[in-house]
């Protein structure tokens, strides 16, 4: 059976003299199903919130109060590289093979891990970039200045483009620092959904391409971490009061869509929490599994709790890492089927003059594309013949009884018939040779 894998990171000193927990380990790889157990560890890392990203081959971790990113190989289980930058890194996220970093100076840095190409924007925020979210075609950056910028990923990575361009859109309804930002799975322009959480005790649901505010949620305490379920039907919020809140977006009283009975400008009060972490304190990070039935929260006292939606809000402790848990990241159950993968990252180099792509081909390269089938066919491919015959049988534009066009059509039909006869003769010859 498929086993869900959860990566966690810690930051800060050990909380107790616990010899059962290694002091050097900073990142853990957990197997969640059928039982929760540590399967991999990575040493010498101290990643603050929003500073952990996991690909199918590597783990990227920005270091607390430093301008360094540690790169670990998942296959080897060791640190592969230490990548320095000119500014302190506050958050990072993966967009395919591109690592997006937000700095303390309010900039975005995009690093192509397969080529080493680095793109740096001017300061796009007044204060530090606090968190990032990646959509298939966009990058969203949120800041301590309470603003969210929406960037086109293609424009940022365009070769020869001026990195000084402005973001496509700015979202600025919050009145406090942004603490977390998530993006829904939809790629439709009309249903592009993102949710931002802020210290002003609100969560705002946006259409991040149009900039429209879809709904504002008022939480009893400042939300610290949020997550959408896999189908964007519900929002989970970990608040400063230690509560885990569940907001159904399309429940009995839908908050979004045409069935919503209230205007988008009406603020919705979030009241009762799904449950409370009694002795664990507030959650610093939150992750939802891929069937949307289990929530994992990481806490400053080192505990990782599992909340099952069928247990009436009573969490169960699955791990105690003896240091503040700062990040929880699920690895996709079925990785994207790509013809190549990053075997070893190429360190960023701003002075790079040549564009060199370094990758490892994965699987067979002799794909069964339409072009390869037509090239390997003896004679003319049947599909090409059918297309030619259909084009000949279509009514010609202009005058229908033009003698010149009729003559050309007859010549083409004769050529097609000759080719088909030659193809049949070739096949008969090959069959006779086999016998």
């Amino acid at each position: 059976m498929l086993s869900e894998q959860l990566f966690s990171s810690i930051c800060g000193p050990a909380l107790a003299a616990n010899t059962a927990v290694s002091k050097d380990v900073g990142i853990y790889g957990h197997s969640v199903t059928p039982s929760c157990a540590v399967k991999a560890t990575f040493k010498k890392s101290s990643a603050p919130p929003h500073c952990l990203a996991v690909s199918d081959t590597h783990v990227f971790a920005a270091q607390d109060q430093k301008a360094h990113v540690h790169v670990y190989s998942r296959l080897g289980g060791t640190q592969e590289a230490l990548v320095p930058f000119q500014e302190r890194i506050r958050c990072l996220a993966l967009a395919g093979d591109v690592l997006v970093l937000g700095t303390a100076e309010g900039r975005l840095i995009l690093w192509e891990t397969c080529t080493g190409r680095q793109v740096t924007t001017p300061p796009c925020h007044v204060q530090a970039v606090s968190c990032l979210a990646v959509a298939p075609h966009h990058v969203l950056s949120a800041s301590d200045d309470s603003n969210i910028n929406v960037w086109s990923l293609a424009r940022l990575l365009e070769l020869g483009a001026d990195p000084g361009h402005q973001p496509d859109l700015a979202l600025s309804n919050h009145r406090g620092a942004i603490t977390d930002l998530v993006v829904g799975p939809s790629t439709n322009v009309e249903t592009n959904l993102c949710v931002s959480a802020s210290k002003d005790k609100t969560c705002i649901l946006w259409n991040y391409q149009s900039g429209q505010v879809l709904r504002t949620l008022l939480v009893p305490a400042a939300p610290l971490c949020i997550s959408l379920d896999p189908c964007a039907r519900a929002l989970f919020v970990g608040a400063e009061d230690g509560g885990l809140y569940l907001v159904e977006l399309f429940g009995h009283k839908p908050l979004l869509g045409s069935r919503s009975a209230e205007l988008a400008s009406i603020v919705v009060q979030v009241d009762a929490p799904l449950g409370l972490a009694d002795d664990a304190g507030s959650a610093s990070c939150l992750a939802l599994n891929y069937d949307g039935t289990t929530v994992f929260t990481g806490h400053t006292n080192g505990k990782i709790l599992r909340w099952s939606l069928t247990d009436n809000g009573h969490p169960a402790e699955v791990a105690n890492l003896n240091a503040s848990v700062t990040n929880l990241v699920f690895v996709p159950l079925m990785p994207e089927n790509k013809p190549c993968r990053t075997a070893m990252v190429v360190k960023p180099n701003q002075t790079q003059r040549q564009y060199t792509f370094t990758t490892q081909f994965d699987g067979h390269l002799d794909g069964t594309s339409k072009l390869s089938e037509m090239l390997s066919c003896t004679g003319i491919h049947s599909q090409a013949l059918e297309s030619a015959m259909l084009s000949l049988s279509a009514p010609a534009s202009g005058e229908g009884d033009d003698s010149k066009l009729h003559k050309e059509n007859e010549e083409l039909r004769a050529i097609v018939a000759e080719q088909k006869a030659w193809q049949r003769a070739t096949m008969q010859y090959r069959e006779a040779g086999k016998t």
Side-chain angles (χ1 to χ4, degrees):
M1 62 178 295
L2 292 174
S3 177
E4 292 179 302
Q5 289 185 306
L6 176 69
F7 276 78
S8 63
S9 69
I10 59 175
C11 183
L15 301 177
N18 189 346
T19 58
V21 180
S22 175
K23 295 181 180 180
D24 294 335
V25 176
I27 301 173
Y28 296 83
H30 309 263
S31 174
V32 174
T33 53
S35 61
C36 192
V38 175
K39 296 296 183 180
T41 57
F42 302 92
K43 297 182 177 181
K44 296 181 180 179
S45 177
S46 181
H50 310 296
C51 287
L52 181 70
V54 183
S55 70
D56 55 351
T57 56
H58 290 86
V59 177
F60 303 88
Q63 301 304 295
D64 187 29
Q65 301 296 323
K66 294 182 180 179
H68 296 159
V69 173
H70 290 185
V71 182
Y72 300 90
S73 170
R74 289 183 58 187
L75 182 61
T78 57
Q79 183 174 336
E80 182 177 306
L82 188 151
V83 183
F85 293 91
Q86 294 182 344
E87 298 179 14
R88 183 162 53 91
I89 306 301
R90 279 288 305 273
C91 55
L92 56 79
L94 270 174
D97 292 326
V98 178
L99 187 68
V100 186
L101 306 105
T103 73
E105 302 297 325
R107 303 178 192 271
L108 287 186
I109 300 176
L110 287 86
W111 165 31
E112 291 185 349
T113 58
C114 289
T115 66
R117 177 171 173 248
Q118 177 179 321
V119 177
T120 304
T121 69
C124 53
H125 291 281
V126 179
Q127 298 183 37
V129 181
S130 57
C131 47
L132 296 165
V134 175
H137 308 294
H138 294 85
V139 174
L140 284 71
S141 61
S143 171
D144 289 339
D145 63 10
S146 76
N147 294 324
I148 302 168
N149 288 340
V150 182
W151 305 80
S152 168
L153 190 58
R155 285 181 58 196
L156 287 173
L157 295 175
E158 184 179 358
L159 290 173
D162 181 13
H165 62 72
Q166 297 297 317
D168 296 354
L169 200 63
L171 313 177
S172 56
N173 276 43
H174 282 294
R175 296 296 179 266
I178 309 295
T179 56
D180 205 354
L181 183 67
V182 293
V183 175
S186 175
T187 57
N188 190 301
V189 177
E190 298 181 356
T191 57
N192 280 324
L193 174 67
C194 79
V195 186
S196 57
S198 171
K199 289 184 178 179
D200 60 10
K201 297 185 180 181
T202 64
C203 293
I204 299 182
L205 285 70
W206 312 79
N207 182 321
Y208 62 84
Q209 284 217 48
S210 66
Q212 178 186 3
V213 176
L214 304 177
R215 184 66 67 183
T216 300
L217 308 176
L218 183 59
V219 187
L224 301 179
C225 49
I226 56 177
S227 181
L228 283 167
D229 88 324
C231 297
R233 300 166 301 180
L235 175 69
F236 294 85
V237 181
E240 204 170 31
D241 60 359
L244 177 66
Y245 294 85
L246 168 61
V247 182
E248 293 190 23
L249 306 181
F250 301 96
H252 179 63
K253 294 182 179 180
L255 302 180
L256 303 177
S258 58
R259 295 178 56 197
S260 176
E262 299 175 337
L263 297 176
S265 58
I266 297 178
V267 177
V268 176
Q269 177 70 50
V270 180
D271 295 321
L274 179 68
L276 291 171
D278 298 327
D279 57 345
S282 58
S284 56
C285 51
L286 185 153
L288 192 67
N289 73 335
Y290 284 97
D291 62 7
T293 61
T294 307
V295 182
F296 292 83
T297 55
H299 300 262
T300 54
N301 66 349
K303 293 183 179 180
I304 298 178
L305 303 183
R306 176 171 56 195
W307 307 69
S308 177
L309 299 185
T310 60
D311 289 347
N312 298 322
H314 297 293
E317 180 182 329
V318 296
N320 190 339
L321 305 183
N322 198 32
S324 178
V325 181
T326 52
N327 293 279
L328 293 175
V329 178
F330 267 103
V331 179
L333 279 175
M334 302 184 68
E336 184 181 356
N337 187 17
K338 298 188 296 184
C340 57
R341 63 174 179 170
T342 306
M344 183 174 293
V345 299
V346 180
K347 290 187 177 182
N349 184 4
Q350 288 184 306
T351 61
Q352 180 176 323
R353 297 294 181 181
Q354 296 180 344
Y355 193 84
T356 305
F357 181 73
T358 305
T359 190
Q360 176 180 334
F361 289 108
D362 202 6
H364 298 287
L365 300 181
D366 53 346
T368 57
S369 63
K370 186 184 296 184
L371 177 62
S372 63
E373 289 182 359
M374 297 181 72
L375 291 176
S376 61
C377 176
T378 303
I380 298 179
H381 195 269
S382 59
Q383 188 173 359
L385 289 173
E386 291 175 1
S387 300
M389 294 179 69
L390 288 173
S391 63
L392 292 175
S393 61
S397 60
E399 299 181 359
D401 54 348
D402 191 342
S403 59
K404 185 178 180 180
L405 291 177
H406 281 296
K407 184 177 179 181
E408 291 179 354
N409 287 342
E410 291 297 331
E411 291 176 354
L412 288 174
R413 288 192 180 94
I415 292 173
V416 171
E418 182 181 356
Q419 292 292 336
K420 291 181 70 175
W422 179 74
Q423 187 179 19
R424 285 196 298 268
T426 302
M427 296 301 297
Q428 291 175 0
Y429 176 78
R430 290 181 62 184
E431 291 177 358
K434 292 180 180 180
T435 57

